Amino acid sequence: MQRIDRHRRRPVATAVLAVAAIAAGLLLPGVVPAAAVVRTAVEPAECVVDVPGGARCGELTVPITRAVADSPIATLPYAIVPAALDTGRSPIVYLAGGVPLSDVDVRAISADRGLAADRDVIFVERRGGGDAKPSLGCPAAVEALADTLGAGAERAAALEAIGEAFGTCAATWQEEGFSANDFGATQSASDLRSLREQLGYARWTIMAVGTSANVALAAPAADPDGVDAIVLDGPDLGVPGIVSAGGLAAALASVDARRGAAGGWSPARDGAATAPGEEDHASRPVEAAAAASESGAAGTGAAVLDAAADSAAVLADASATLDRHPRETDGARTLTIGPDALYLIVSGALSDATAQAALPFVLDSVAAGHSEALDALAAWSVNSIVEGEPVQDWVLGCSTAGWPGTTEPTDEAAPPSTTLLQDVAGTACTSLGVAPTPPPGPIGLPAFVVSAPEQDAAADGAATSILPRAISASFPGAGSVPTATSGCAVIAVRGWLTEPSAYRAALCAVDDAAVSVVQQADVAASPRWVQQGTDGTGGLWLLLALPLVFGIVALAWSIAWAYRLIAQALRHDPVQAGLRLGVAPVFGASWAIASAVTLLRSADYSPATHLLGVPAALPWLSIVLLVSCIGLVPVWQGAHRGSRLRIVALSVLWAATAAWTAVFVLAWW
């Protein structure tokens, strides 16, 4: 087991070089800048994230501006999970995408997923992250974006307010001795080199998630001898997120292609053996159109746009509908959903495996004038984007402007020409004064790129254009982080890390992460059900409390009725009257059991349905409930004075359940 994060375990050569550097800095101040006496260090520190037993935590301190002698210091927390097997293999450094280190499930990644049992895994916060000091946040700008959605303000006025907020943040940072330019991809890559050297590792493999792919691609230039391989998990290059109108349309076309497609896609691989079924392009219309193109990369983008034409038209229709009749939502944050908010909601939903499976149905409904279908996705998407403190990712995107992947597909059929998120990102770059860095040249290191088809369609394979030796694997329906939702993606990454040169194909079903895209015939839209079931306060269980009580009572009544009927039959007493008394309990229990089975099956096979309403079969089961209500008539007719209070209670329960069904299942109000 490697435990080389302490000074006593560093190689002797490293110590000698450090002493020589300090001596040179002292003896030759005119030749070596004071900042070259690198003020980097690692110290043990309290963990900011839960770690498995045996793990240890610390902090890396680095100058915010390396070229300035008296630069303020940045503090980056890290955690080391030692290898279970001491094989001497190079470690893995893990960069989460756009979330604080404290939000990373270290145990799940290092232990439960078992990505590398024979390597140390180092988790480190990017500079400017939520657990780093300083943290690069601009709450005023984020709140201005939220206010824009709530008030339905004009785009120009909204961007002006957001720009002023960014300007205020930039002035504050300047007073504290740094600027947004200090938090780009190159600076973060230099931090990785400092951490590797301070921990005493000779080389390591970088695994980067989401927007951290920009840092991983800048790392080989910043640390030529320290990176031996790169793994990108859901790479998000350029402007963070799928935000352009054309990019959204291309991604939606990929999602919509899964509707009714048997078996999903096979992973597309470059430099690997063809996986079974990969030659069948019929189930991969976007990729098939790209493969049929005769003009290389440019043709690929055109083919993707051609395949996305239908999705672009649906987006345009939904946008036009909301432009005429903006949707006012309820909940903790009241929103005015117009075209700007629509594109923001779609962008956020595409990052989640379940939410993206509901998008085709939602957009079709909005285009048809039923904009209440947006309510469930609105709060979730807006919170994930607006309240997720995206400033750090925007700054990272500014620093990589001009890199492959920063220009997503555009299409005149999908107005507006730029979305609100695109303009906000541009405003951030301008107001914060972030200068773009030159794009990296081809990186000849072994690399593995794990993504989802919707990401590939929007970014047009940008990551693999920088990594000519990359093997790529695409997992449909995996969302923004394939290894978080797809066991097959985990197996693929684990296999590649074990032996990159021998990797060929994942030995599992590549569509294991795919959430079934909701068909129109599979769901009965119910805004009331969705509102109660997605409010984030456990509303679904409260919503089901009444039918659960009804089911228990009906089942108990059915058992008691059956016992009495059998006893009468054994005594050779007439049972005709008793048969009529069983209509209410038997049909009521049948309705409860059938409804429970329908809901459980839907949650297992089509979890996106709960974002839209109820399974289509559930309203039809209401006929069984109606029969059980009618069955109360003979119960009343045969009632005697001592049993009337009990029958009244049962009748109230049956009536309340019928009303519940009318409101939440049949959506009557």
Side-chain angles (χ1 to χ4, degrees), residues 550-551 554-555 557-558 580-592 621-636 650-651 653-658 661:
F550 175 88
L555 187 60
W557 187 3
S558 298
R580 294 192 305 149
L581 297 178
V583 172
V586 170
F587 276 81
S590 300
W591 173 84
L621 288 174
S622 302
I623 297 175
V624 180
L625 179 63
L626 176 62
V627 172
S628 75
C629 291
I630 297 174
L632 290 172
V633 174
V635 175
W636 272 103
L650 290 173
S651 299
L653 178 60
W654 254 248
T657 305
T661 302

Side-chain angles (χ1 to χ4, degrees), residues 233-252:
D233 187 5
D236 190 358
L237 303 180
V239 177
I242 304 171
V243 299
S244 73
L248 292 173
L252 280 170

Side-chain angles (χ1 to χ4, degrees), residues 525-613:
S526 175
R528 288 272 178 110
W529 176 278
V530 171
Q531 182 181 359
Q532 295 295 320
T534 59
D535 63 357
T537 61
L540 183 59
W541 291 110
L542 295 175
L543 178 64
L544 294 175
L546 178 62
L548 283 173
V549 171
F550 175 88
I552 293 171
V553 171
L555 187 60
W557 187 3
S558 298
I559 294 173
W561 167 81
Y563 175 80
R564 183 179 302 172
L565 193 67
I566 293 172
Q568 287 179 335
L570 292 175
R571 293 195 306 266
H572 302 289
D573 294 339
V575 296
Q576 289 81 358
L579 288 174
R580 294 192 305 149
L581 297 178
V583 172
V586 170
F587 276 81
S590 300
W591 173 84
I593 294 172
S595 297
V597 170
T598 299
L599 288 173
L600 290 174
R601 285 178 57 86
S602 175
D604 188 24
Y605 293 107
S606 183
T609 298
H610 81 279
L611 293 174
L612 306 167

Side-chain angles (χ1 to χ4, degrees), residues 447-485:
F448 188 42
V449 180
V450 179
S451 61
E454 55 272 11
Q455 293 173 310
D456 297 337
D460 204 13
T464 53
S465 69
I466 302 175
L467 300 165
R469 292 182 58 189
I471 294 174
S472 62
S474 186
F475 298 87
S480 60
V481 185
T483 59
T485 57

Side-chain angles (χ1 to χ4, degrees), residues 187-199:
Q187 293 83 349
S188 294
S190 297
D191 294 339
L192 288 183
R193 175 172 183 166
S194 296
L195 180 63
R196 181 187 61 78
E197 293 173 342
Q198 289 293 323
L199 295 180

